[in-house]
Amino acid sequence: MQFLVPMLMCAAFIFVWIALTKWILALDRRLTKKSLWSSKRLDMKSTAALLQLYFGGKIFLYGRWFPKRTQKGTLYEEIPCILIFGKRIFVLEICSLPGVICNTSEELWTVTPPAEYTEKKEIRIKNPVLLASRRAELLKELLDAVGYADGVVVESVAIFR
């Protein structure tokens, strides 16, 4: 009995320690999500962090570079956010600039941000919908080249926050 009591106390201590650690980590996740959602403006990295909190690090990839063959040689293009659900892969493009968007059918969009956001009256940005679709095509081509494209669907998604 003298040997069993210290072992049971150690086991109870370890159990309580694991439970408290899990509770603290869950509380941290919840508070982080709440603070990110309550923020007025989220940049790309903050939105990516929020998505990673919801989906996890195994299926959400951030800031990956992929080779692209061109006439000038091999260039590397960044795909900022990739979300993997089995045979479905989503290439995410995050646009976190507030304001009124014009020229949505063109390559460059004109955004008129609110006065408190910046001193500029108009900002020109690349079309996030076209960027997402080009990056999705690049990823699909790479999957075809290495032979992993059987049944894999690559879709493009533009997120406006």
Side-chain angles (χ1 to χ4, degrees), residues 86-103:
K87 294 271 184 177
R88 247 184 216 283
I89 299 174
F90 296 95
V91 175
L92 307 175
E93 185 66 35
I94 300 168
C95 183
S96 60
L97 191 62
V100 178
I101 301 172
C102 301
N103 306 345

Side-chain angles (χ1 to χ4, degrees), residues 3-161:
F3 179 71
L4 191 58
V5 171
M7 294 296 268
L8 288 175
M9 288 178 65
C10 285
F13 175 75
I14 290 173
F15 176 74
V16 169
W17 177 71
I18 289 172
L20 280 175
T21 303
K22 286 187 176 189
W23 180 77
I24 289 170
L25 290 175
L27 181 66
D28 179 56
R29 278 177 78 100
R30 178 180 238 171
L31 291 175
T32 303
K33 285 179 191 177
K34 186 177 178 180
S35 67
L36 285 172
W37 276 116
S38 66
S39 173
K40 289 184 180 179
R41 287 180 269 173
L42 290 178
D43 63 347
M44 187 158 170
K45 289 183 180 180
S46 301
T47 306
L50 183 64
L51 290 171
Q52 191 163 12
L53 282 172
Y54 275 99
F55 295 111
K58 291 184 180 178
I59 65 170
F60 182 80
L61 305 173
Y62 177 72
R64 306 296 173 155
W65 291 84
F66 294 95
K68 180 180 181 180
R69 301 265 183 204
T70 63
Q71 294 174 347
K72 296 178 182 178
T74 302
L75 299 175
Y76 288 88
E77 186 169 338
E78 182 183 17
I79 300 180
C81 300
I82 301 171
L83 194 58
I84 303 170
F85 287 111
K87 294 271 184 177
R88 247 184 216 283
I89 299 174
F90 296 95
V91 175
L92 307 175
E93 185 66 35
I94 300 168
C95 183
S96 60
L97 191 62
V100 178
I101 301 172
C102 301
N103 306 345
T104 56
S105 62
E106 297 179 13
E107 181 77 26
L108 290 175
W109 285 5
T110 304
V111 180
T112 308
E116 68 269 4
Y117 187 76
T118 182
E119 294 178 8
K120 295 181 180 180
K121 292 183 180 180
E122 290 184 346
I123 298 174
R124 307 276 292 179
I125 61 169
K126 291 182 181 178
N127 186 339
V129 176
L130 289 177
L131 279 174
S133 95
R134 286 183 189 146
R135 290 173 174 164
E137 289 172 15
L138 169 68
L139 190 59
K140 182 68 173 167
E141 289 172 6
L142 287 172
L143 289 173
D144 286 338
V146 295
Y148 286 116
D150 295 336
V152 175
V153 177
V154 180
E155 296 183 25
S156 61
V157 177
I159 299 173
F160 297 93
R161 169 86 168 105

